Amino acid sequence: MDKHVKKQYLSDEAIMEIYKNDKNKGTEKMVEKYTDYVYHIIATNYPTYRTETADLYQNGTIGIMSAMKSYNPEKGAFTTYCTPYIKKELGNH
């Protein structure tokens, strides 16, 4: 498989529809979609915490889950909405 081929993800709106019906499945899809984004925030804000990347990632996913509880896709991009939630959880670590 070509490593330059990007995986196709559902839209945030579609994931939120899944989330309304099945919170676990919706959360799983959103976390999978934004894994690289969480790692990007960690690399940008905590570049010296390399030994704690796995723990920071776990906290970042908690931020995604917290943001999903009140996210409305009609009001903007999920990355814009979830970033403060992710940063808050990373800061709590």
Side-chain angles (χ1 to χ4, degrees):
M1 183 173 181
D2 186 357
K3 66 181 179 179
H4 298 289
V5 175
K6 286 195 167 198
K7 184 172 180 185
Q8 294 295 324
Y9 293 105
L10 295 171
S11 68
D12 295 339
E13 294 84 4
I15 294 172
M16 289 307 292
E17 282 300 315
I18 293 168
Y19 180 76
K20 287 178 189 175
N21 297 315
D22 184 345
K23 291 196 182 332
N24 290 333
K25 191 171 186 179
T27 299
E28 181 182 309
K29 291 196 176 296
M30 196 69 89
V31 168
E32 179 184 321
K33 181 175 181 179
Y34 289 106
T35 290
D36 289 343
Y37 185 66
V38 172
Y39 281 118
H40 167 75
I41 292 174
I42 293 168
T44 303
N45 295 284
Y46 300 93
T48 59
Y49 287 70
R50 288 196 182 111
T51 59
E52 296 184 41
T53 300
D55 292 336
L56 288 169
Y57 172 75
Q58 291 298 319
N59 283 68
T61 60
I62 292 169
I64 289 175
M65 290 183 264
S66 296
M68 287 182 74
K69 293 177 185 174
S70 57
Y71 173 61
N72 181 350
E74 295 174 6
K75 293 191 176 185
F78 185 70
T79 51
T80 304
Y81 188 78
C82 75
T83 300
Y85 287 86
I86 294 170
K87 287 184 176 180
K88 177 182 177 231
E89 291 300 329
L90 294 176
N92 288 342
H93 177 71

